[in-house]
Amino acid sequence: SAVISQKPSRDICQRGTSLTIQCQVDSQVTMMFWYRQQPGQSLTLIATANQGSEATYESGFVIDKFPISRPNLTFSTLTVSNMSPEDSSIYLCSVEDTRGETQYFGPGTRLLVL
Amino acid sequence: DAKTTQPPSMDCAEGRAANLPCNHSTISGNEYVYWYRQIHSQGPQYIIHGLKNNETNEMASLIITEDRKSSTLILPHATLRDTAVYYCIVKNTGNQFYFGTGTSLTVIP
């Protein structure tokens, strides 16, 4: 399975600011995914990020609020823009394995917006 | 996407088998059933997946009914470290995973 790291692991931010979360994987992968997990809730898919193309966003998520970059096959960033307390969540990235069968998740970034 | 239904919580005695049910009555013929678990404050961990046949690996067994409308994840000898939220997911053809609410399993000493 792939080894995935995320930076930062946690952060406390002021409303109105933006935070960029990094996701690094130890092998080349085609598909990466970003999820949000609000307090006490399950995971919600934000978007799918393929290298060399624009990210595909799920219903309820827009590029202006959650811009995503995917510059190469081992790295992606998710920016949470113009944050409000409602954005306080755990943000997780995941990658699809080379056989396209399953996903492996990073440890998550815990964000608190004051 | 096929929706899944799981009991919100279950208890299991340490050392006993934990049987976690999942209903997915609207599953399509080419959709797989996946199980993940999330231990508090960690990213979800892949457990097992299957299409029609029963599957077993070092972590668990997956039993899928013949009509594929339900499945059961079996942890043969539950330990305290198996306390987690277990998610049953039906994977669509677009490779995305859509998580339901899961079952919170508590293993009791």
Side-chain angles (χ1 to χ4, degrees):
Chain A
S1 63
V3 176
I4 304 163
S5 60
Q6 288 185 231
K7 289 182 183 178
S9 59
R10 60 180 66 238
D11 207 343
I12 301 173
C13 300
Q14 297 297 318
R15 69 173 67 206
T17 63
S18 297
L19 176 72
T20 295
I21 301 167
Q22 300 178 6
C23 179
Q24 179 77 53
V25 61
D26 68 342
S27 57
Q28 294 184 337
V29 295
T30 301
M31 298 186 76
M32 297 180 77
F33 306 86
W34 286 98
Y35 292 80
R36 179 176 74 182
Q37 187 171 28
Q38 294 177 300
Q41 303 296 312
S42 182
L43 282 75
T44 301
L45 180 63
I46 297 173
T48 302
N50 290 339
Q51 195 267 336
S53 63
E54 293 284 329
T56 303
Y57 289 82
E58 296 296 310
S59 175
F61 297 95
V62 294
I63 188 171
D64 289 347
K65 177 66 176 177
F66 297 102
I68 289 171
S69 79
R70 183 76 203 276
N72 58 52
L73 291 173
T74 63
F75 187 77
S76 178
T77 67
L78 169 78
T79 298
V80 186
S81 304
N82 188 24
M83 288 184 286
S84 67
E86 292 72 34
D87 293 319
S88 297
S89 294
I90 300 173
Y91 291 86
L92 300 112
C93 70
S94 72
V95 304
E96 187 175 75
D97 72 349
T98 53
R99 292 181 297 179
E101 287 188 348
T102 193
Q103 289 184 23
Y104 297 101
F105 284 80
T109 294
R110 286 148 189 80
L111 171 61
L112 176 63
V113 184
L114 302 177
Chain B
D1 303 319
K3 206 170 173 180
T4 61
T5 306
Q6 299 177 253
S9 63
M10 292 181 63
D11 293 339
C12 178
E14 188 178 17
R16 302 296 295 269
N19 296 282
L20 292 93
C22 179
N23 285 323
H24 31 78
S25 58
T26 60
I27 192 170
S28 299
N30 61 349
E31 291 181 316
Y32 283 74
V33 179
Y34 281 74
W35 284 84
Y36 280 77
R37 73 180 182 184
Q38 187 174 27
I39 297 170
H40 183 61
S41 299
Q42 299 181 21
Q45 178 189 22
Y46 166 77
I47 301 173
I48 199 166
H49 73 282
L51 181 64
K52 295 183 197 176
N53 301 321
N54 298 337
E55 302 286 345
T56 296
N57 63 20
E58 65 278 4
M59 288 183 69
S61 295
L62 173 61
I63 308 298
I64 303 173
T65 58
E66 193 168 340
D67 63 7
R68 301 208 330 120
K69 293 187 177 183
S70 65
S71 60
T72 301
L73 178 74
I74 301 172
L75 308 178
H77 305 287
T79 71
L80 299 179
R81 289 177 296 180
D82 292 323
T83 292
V85 177
Y86 287 77
Y87 295 101
C88 169
I89 304 160
V90 173
K91 183 184 176 187
N92 70 5
T93 54
N95 298 326
Q96 287 85 2
F97 283 88
Y98 296 98
F99 283 74
T101 53
T103 295
S104 178
L105 175 69
T106 301
V107 180
I108 302 169

